[in-house]
Amino acid sequence: MAIEIKNINKSFDGRGKNLSVLENINLNIDDGELVCLLGPSGCGKTTLLRLIAGLDHPTSGEVIANGEVVEKPSGDRAVIFQQYSLFPWLTVLQNVTFGLEISGGSKEENIHAAERYLQSVGLLDFKDSYPHELSGGMKQRVAIIRSLLNHSPILLMDEPFSALDMQNRHKLQEQLIGVWKRFENTIVFVTHDVDEAVYLADKIVLLDKNPGKIHEIIDVDLERPRKRESPEFLTLQESIVDKLDMEE
């Protein structure tokens, strides 16, 4: 099991009040599973992701990743945010090999590995480009490849495609599935987009808000590659939308 979330509660103190953000969260995520955290704004999706990443600490309960209690960030859990966290003064190739250079290893081997990964997402021709020369979707692909190249078995993704137009968002979702199937990472993906969750996930964790609780865990048994126009896809999407409407 890649991630175990046990009896997690999280609250914040603000303006003299104690605000409960997450309450009694229990969740198991298997190795190689792609799980979407889905729910309305304010339900604690990003807070839960930060707890898994070790960027924040629970008020009570614990998160276990790869058999160890999460107390701080670790290289085995890469976080990909909405913002494109690339070094603007480095080329694409330099960005994706940055972590490898710090950890050592042959420069030639690092470059060879980076080029192989970039080829897998159609970015090899842009290896000498700088971030300002790339589209938003291309920047996110670079961020994903950098995480894979640093051998992070768990990818934690916080609405990474939300700023993109629909066409590029769909394209990047397809590429993410391709990369995930090839490298078998465990992915926890935060989204508020029902279509995105149904397209990507093995399992959808539907969260209520005030405070954030698990309303339902939905196994997505649709065959891949998934077709958004299929009756099965549309039926599942509609049922989830109905459940979200009932929560409001």
Side-chain angles (χ1 to χ4, degrees):
M1 191 170 298
I3 301 168
E4 298 175 76
I5 299 170
K6 297 183 176 182
N7 304 315
I8 285 291
N9 293 280
K10 178 63 179 176
S11 58
F12 295 99
D13 292 322
R15 298 182 180 180
K17 296 181 179 180
N18 187 266
L19 177 64
S20 180
V21 179
L22 293 171
E23 185 175 283
N24 194 33
I25 303 294
N26 289 277
L27 178 65
N28 293 331
I29 298 174
D30 292 332
D31 286 323
E33 198 167 31
L34 200 166
V35 173
C36 282
L37 306 180
L38 176 67
S41 297
C43 70
K45 302 185 297 293
T46 294
T47 299
L48 182 55
L49 196 78
R50 289 178 60 85
L51 295 178
I52 299 170
L55 296 171
D56 206 344
H57 298 93
T59 304
S60 62
E62 63 181 7
V63 177
I64 299 172
N66 293 325
E68 296 186 1
V69 176
V70 173
E71 297 179 343
K72 60 184 179 179
S74 169
D76 69 347
R77 284 168 276 117
V79 186
I80 301 171
F81 297 103
Q82 296 177 32
Q83 298 82 12
Y84 315 118
S85 54
L86 304 179
F87 299 117
W89 58 89
L90 298 181
T91 66
V92 166
L93 185 62
Q94 291 167 338
N95 263 286
V96 298
T97 58
F98 181 80
L100 295 178
E101 291 177 3
I102 292 175
S103 59
S106 162
K107 183 175 182 179
E108 182 177 340
E109 290 177 358
N110 292 345
I111 291 175
H112 177 72
E115 289 180 341
R116 179 167 54 87
Y117 276 59
L118 290 170
Q119 177 71 46
S120 71
V121 294
L123 285 176
L124 184 58
D125 290 343
F126 297 89
K127 67 178 183 178
D128 296 321
S129 300
Y130 288 88
H132 73 271
E133 299 175 301
L134 306 178
S135 68
M138 293 165 74
K139 291 175 185 176
Q140 283 296 49
R141 276 183 278 168
V142 174
I144 293 168
I145 290 302
R146 183 173 61 186
S147 298
L148 292 172
L149 196 58
N150 288 322
H151 304 295
S152 301
I154 297 174
L155 300 184
L156 307 173
M157 309 183 75
D158 187 10
E159 299 194 65
F161 310 146
S162 61
L164 304 176
D165 61 70
M166 184 178 67
Q167 182 178 358
N168 280 311
R169 188 162 63 247
H170 286 182
K171 186 183 300 184
L172 213 51
Q173 289 166 3
E174 292 174 12
Q175 291 178 333
L176 175 62
I177 291 296
V179 169
W180 166 68
K181 290 175 72 174
R182 178 174 178 180
F183 298 105
E184 300 182 337
N185 299 78
T186 302
I187 298 178
V188 183
F189 192 106
V190 167
T191 183
H192 63 272
D193 186 330
V194 176
D195 174 273
E196 184 168 61
V198 175
Y199 186 82
L200 292 176
D202 291 323
K203 185 163 63 185
I204 297 171
V205 180
L206 197 60
L207 293 169
D208 294 332
K209 63 178 181 178
N210 300 324
K213 301 177 182 178
I214 294 180
H215 176 81
E216 185 177 350
I217 297 176
I218 302 166
D219 291 316
V220 183
D221 295 323
L222 304 179
E223 290 186 7
R224 302 183 190 275
R226 293 176 181 165
K227 298 181 179 180
R228 288 181 163 89
E229 69 276 10
S230 73
E232 296 83 4
F233 189 102
L234 294 172
T235 297
L236 179 56
Q237 184 177 11
E238 184 177 351
S239 71
I240 295 173
V241 169
D242 289 342
K243 290 173 184 177
L244 288 171
D245 288 341
M246 289 174 63
E247 294 173 26
E248 294 180 355

